[in-house]
Amino acid sequence: MATMAAVATGARAQTLDSPLHIVVGYAPGGATDRVARIVGDKLGARLGVPVIVDNKPGAGGRLAAQQVKATPASQNVLMLANPAVMVVAPLVFKDNNYDPERDFVPVSHVNAYDFALSVSPTLPVRELNHLLAWMRANPNQANVGVPATGSLPHFFGLMVGEKARVQTQIIGYRGSAPLLNDLIGGQVPISIDTEDVVLPQHTAGKLRILALSGAKRSPFAPDIPTFKEAGLDLAATGWNTFFAPASMPREKAERLSNLIREVMQDPDTQRKFKDAGMTPVVSTQAQTAAMLKAYKAQWAPVVQKSGYQP
């Protein structure tokens, strides 16, 4: 009886007094939205209240951040965001209207993803060093397509060019779908996008991934070398992380962080992430804060040096 009472008391301690809203700055169906729904389904059972995913697309996720920033302390709200919203946008938009460090509290880092450098099947190269040689020999043709200007693939493309000492002409598209079409059709010779987007096309033989950006080989594509293995000393990843508005009481943010960590340790959650082609991450609040600090230190110089203006 004492054990049951302790369990019941612990369960009540985890509940909230109203539903939890997870705000996503993109339309339903994308990678960030899928992450929010996988975690949200599991989190609701632990909290004892509904968890509602609110899609607030617009301005590349910045509208969602501006909305969550203004959330009063009485509301239960988290935002699931990626580096484009929390690292890049504050560096390039003068009217950003939010400060990631002042207006938000990191809660939990939940997944990571690699960037893939792919080539059109019409390009006669099969290894990264061969591609770099081709780019040096054909600078006027060495266009690199990315799903959007100002995106992480855009800046990773600049990192590749600088590290390899090759001139890269970045071509921004309106999303991954038109970029894939042009890459497969040979209208653009090279692309940089996220692994989950291009891997199915690579597997089908419609394009070739020459390298992935992780520090070690991807579990989803163990036959594809990392950039370091391919001869270019470079590694980078993207992520999705939960943030609370700065107005949220510290104890509540800590509780949500601990519960999300429990969710991410759940084997069924990990299976769902892997089935979606995403790498799950189990992280404490302190580890999440440290990751964000290191990430900004890596990417801020690249973004600022690029001179990119929206």
Side-chain angles (χ1 to χ4, degrees):
M1 293 296 290
T3 301
M4 291 298 292
V7 171
T9 301
R12 285 196 298 272
Q14 303 294 0
T15 60
L16 299 181
D17 55 2
S18 62
L20 173 68
H21 289 256
I22 297 176
V23 178
V24 175
Y26 304 97
T32 304
D33 176 72
R34 291 200 301 273
V35 170
R37 295 179 189 279
I38 292 171
V39 176
D41 285 347
K42 299 284 188 178
L43 190 57
R46 286 169 168 78
L47 286 170
V49 297
V51 174
I52 301 165
V53 176
D54 290 336
N55 297 92
K56 303 290 184 183
R62 291 182 296 123
L63 291 182
Q66 291 164 5
Q67 173 185 314
V68 173
K69 166 194 169 181
T71 302
S74 60
Q75 294 187 19
N76 298 320
V77 173
L78 292 177
M79 176 177 68
L80 185 64
N82 59 28
V85 179
M86 302 304 277
V87 177
V88 176
L91 294 171
V92 301
F93 287 95
K94 295 179 181 178
D95 59 344
N96 202 49
N97 294 326
Y98 65 89
D99 182 308
E101 296 179 7
R102 183 191 64 222
D103 299 324
F104 296 91
V105 174
V107 172
S108 188
H109 174 205
V110 291
N111 78 293
Y113 50 85
D114 291 350
F115 303 107
L117 186 149
S118 307
V119 296
S120 168
T122 62
L123 199 65
V125 297
R126 293 188 175 274
E127 296 181 7
L128 180 62
N129 61 337
H130 296 159
L131 173 64
L132 298 178
W134 179 87
M135 293 174 74
R136 295 185 184 105
N138 301 275
N140 294 330
Q141 301 176 51
N143 297 326
V144 180
V146 298
T149 54
S151 64
L152 263 292
H154 175 170
F155 294 112
F156 184 70
L158 297 178
M159 291 170 68
V160 171
E162 181 175 11
K163 182 67 71 171
R165 297 180 181 177
V166 298
Q167 187 68 34
T168 53
Q169 180 62 40
I170 302 295
I171 307 297
Y173 280 75
R174 291 190 173 184
S176 295
L179 170 57
L180 274 174
N181 288 336
D182 276 7
L183 183 69
I184 292 169
Q187 284 76 38
V188 64
I190 308 160
S191 83
I192 293 178
D193 208 335
T194 58
E195 177 190 8
D196 62 301
V197 168
V198 296
L199 187 56
Q201 307 301 326
H202 169 88
T203 303
K206 296 182 178 180
L207 54 81
R208 291 191 295 277
I209 301 175
L210 301 187
L212 290 167
S213 68
K216 58 184 180 180
R217 291 204 179 197
S218 165
F220 308 111
D223 59 318
I224 299 174
T226 66
F227 276 85
K228 287 187 177 182
E229 290 175 327
L232 203 59
D233 188 13
L234 190 64
T237 58
W239 43 257
N240 280 294
T241 292
F242 283 97
F243 295 85
S247 62
M248 180 177 286
R250 186 185 68 181
E251 295 79 7
K252 184 183 290 185
E254 289 177 353
R255 187 195 322 165
L256 289 170
S257 177
N258 291 335
L259 290 176
I260 292 172
R261 189 166 182 264
E262 286 183 15
V263 167
M264 296 309 300
Q265 290 173 316
D266 178 64
D268 186 58
T269 302
Q270 297 205 355
R271 178 187 59 78
K272 289 179 177 179
F273 270 76
K274 292 172 183 176
D275 286 349
M278 299 181 286
T279 301
V281 173
V282 179
S283 180
T284 65
Q285 198 169 16
Q287 289 169 334
T288 299
M291 180 278 292
L292 293 169
K293 182 178 180 181
Y295 201 90
K296 184 175 180 180
Q298 178 187 22
W299 286 86
V302 178
V303 175
Q304 292 167 333
K305 185 177 180 180
S306 74
Y308 172 72
Q309 294 292 325

